[in-house]
Amino acid sequence: MRRRSNIGRVIFVVGIASLLLIPMLFRMAAAQKGGEEHVFYQSNAIRVRRTIYPPGLHLPMHSHQGRVVVFLSDGVVRTTTEEGKPSDLPFHRGMVYWSDPVSHTLDNVGGTSLDALEIEFLAPYSFSAPAFSGDALKADPSHFKVELENNRARALRFTLPPHQSSSMHDDPDSIYVRLTPAYL
């Protein structure tokens, strides 16, 4: 059985036929510096938001806590750290990315909008394990694949072809991101 950290983790499932917590279609709540941001959920410990930044957008120096980013489009962004070190990040739809705490600028240097779902850890997370019937990866390795795992987050890609089902498993403290339409 997988050992659980005392700070807890949130499990993200990115896949074809997963439950829909973050809808793919929504009205954007706010425009910021030419881009759009929508916060779906925020507590003292976590913030879940969708960001859409058009090509050419520049965001000034800002800071993030540790976070998981699920890209919903293809493109390239350039970040520059406080020390002045630039770095280009090519991304593709469905890519899962971990970012340690950082202060940086952001420039969308690609030809398409950056569209991403960010799950940012704002504080230590208190985790109370439910009755555990089984790790999804162990219970159903044919449908689940680890995309990212560290002491704060675990991202699983769940792919379920038509007319198949998944084995019984737990999804403790999960956020689901659906990348394709599905009928459940």
Side-chain angles (χ1 to χ4, degrees):
M1 181 178 279
R2 180 171 46 98
R3 185 171 172 249
R4 293 183 184 272
S5 155
N6 61 356
I7 61 171
R9 297 189 313 170
V10 175
I11 298 175
F12 304 94
V13 180
V14 179
I16 300 243
S18 58
L19 297 175
L20 180 61
L21 176 65
I22 310 301
M24 297 304 290
L25 300 174
F26 61 91
R27 280 195 258 145
M28 296 309 244
Q32 178 181 4
K33 300 173 183 71
E36 298 177 77
E37 296 182 357
H38 178 79
V39 175
F40 289 101
Y41 174 80
Q42 183 163 342
S43 69
N44 291 335
I46 194 170
R47 174 177 38 234
V48 179
R49 69 184 182 141
R50 185 172 179 184
T51 58
I52 300 176
Y53 300 143
L57 179 87
H58 169 78
L59 292 178
M61 189 66 62
H62 59 281
S63 298
H64 297 280
Q65 300 298 319
R67 64 193 170 127
V68 174
V69 181
V70 179
F71 291 98
L72 303 174
S73 64
D74 300 334
V76 180
V77 291
R78 177 171 296 135
T79 60
T80 304
T81 63
E82 289 179 304
E83 296 78 30
K85 180 182 176 192
S87 177
D88 285 1
L89 173 66
F91 57 88
H92 61 273
R93 185 176 185 278
M95 181 176 143
V96 179
Y97 177 79
W98 172 258
S99 172
D100 285 321
V102 65
S103 293
H104 66 104
T105 64
L106 183 131
D107 292 280
N108 184 349
V109 296
T112 60
S113 287
L114 163 77
D115 188 354
L117 186 73
E118 297 179 345
I119 301 95
E120 188 168 12
F121 296 93
L122 305 174
Y125 179 71
S126 124
F127 178 79
S128 45
F132 192 66
S133 66
D135 182 331
L137 187 62
K138 290 179 182 175
D140 194 356
S142 64
H143 295 116
F144 287 91
K145 175 186 162 199
V146 174
E147 291 286 321
L148 174 147
E149 186 167 16
N150 62 31
N151 68 337
R152 295 301 306 267
R154 182 181 195 207
L156 300 175
R157 185 171 303 273
F158 175 61
T159 305
L160 190 66
H163 310 293
Q164 289 190 16
S165 59
S166 178
S167 301
M168 182 64 69
H169 61 273
D170 277 342
D171 293 323
D173 294 345
S174 300
I175 296 171
Y176 295 86
V177 181
R178 187 174 71 180
L179 297 174
T180 61
Y183 300 96
L184 304 174

